[in-house]
Amino acid sequence: MSETRLYKTIYEITRAINSSLEPSMVLKNIAEKVTTQMDLKGCFIRLLDKEGKTLLPDASFGLSERYEKKGPVEVSKSRLDQEVLEGKIVFIPDVRKDERFQYPDEASKEGLVSLVVLPLTAKGGRVIGVLRAYSGVERVFSDEELDFLKCVADLSGLALENARLFHALKRASELAADYNYRMDD
């Protein structure tokens, strides 16, 4: 991936983040840009549930519906995700052969080989999910590609945080308006 293409993609992702406060739409756009610009098989963004025990599917691109719905990713059963949720970037050359990967048979059927997983972080460095980038062939990700993915994961975390704050503020404003309306009666 050329440096110019990388910067243009970061710019496009930033524009997408700023164009909507709907998290699912923004994350789907990010997954698509990562997949197409890096010539990947697919990208999957999963967010932690409220208890922090399961990574729920949120957005993906390039992956079949069958693979997207293969089963829950329980943090306690996924050493891979445990590492990432500690803030580490994890690279697996071949998911079909790595015991840290929870669904190797499903990945093989999907045609997935190499994988890099990055944490999505929110304000204060709190990890709120993961970004997974899949290659259909064995691939080593360059330092530039890893820097790019780290930037995208950080932007994704910020986008989610902004959207959540916006929606919380909107709800609070609506509740206050409703309360004031009832007080006027």
Side-chain angles (χ1 to χ4, degrees), residues 25-62:
M25 192 167 100
V26 171
L27 294 179
K28 182 152 183 57
N29 196 331
I30 289 170
E32 179 180 353
K33 294 280 184 215
V34 166
T35 302
T36 57
Q37 295 302 311
M38 293 187 68
D39 298 320
L40 294 171
K41 173 80 172 159
C43 178
F44 210 151
I45 298 173
R46 289 182 170 270
L47 302 178
L48 273 173
D49 66 359
K50 291 181 189 211
E51 293 82 35
K53 295 181 179 184
T54 305
L55 284 162
L56 304 171
D58 200 272
S60 70
F61 186 83

Side-chain angles (χ1 to χ4, degrees), residues 5 40 46 54 64 67 74 87 99 102 104 110-111 116 129-130 134 139 147 158-159 173:
R5 186 170 161 195
L40 294 171
R46 289 182 170 270
T54 305
S64 69
Y67 187 75
E74 296 175 35
E99 62 187 35
Q102 195 171 351
E110 187 72 12
V116 64
V130 299
Y134 297 95
R139 173 178 177 170
D147 287 344
L158 287 171
S173 177

Side-chain angles (χ1 to χ4, degrees), residues 78-93 95 98 100-101 114-119 130-133 141 146 149:
S78 174
R79 285 196 4 235
L80 163 69
D81 291 303
Q82 289 169 15
E83 290 179 45
V84 176
L85 293 172
E86 290 173 2
K88 299 175 185 170
I89 296 172
V90 176
F91 168 69
I92 296 178
V95 295
D98 194 299
R100 294 175 294 175
F101 194 76
S114 293
L115 168 69
V116 64
V117 187
L118 301 97
V130 299
L131 182 145
R132 296 173 179 231
F141 291 85
L146 291 175
L149 288 169

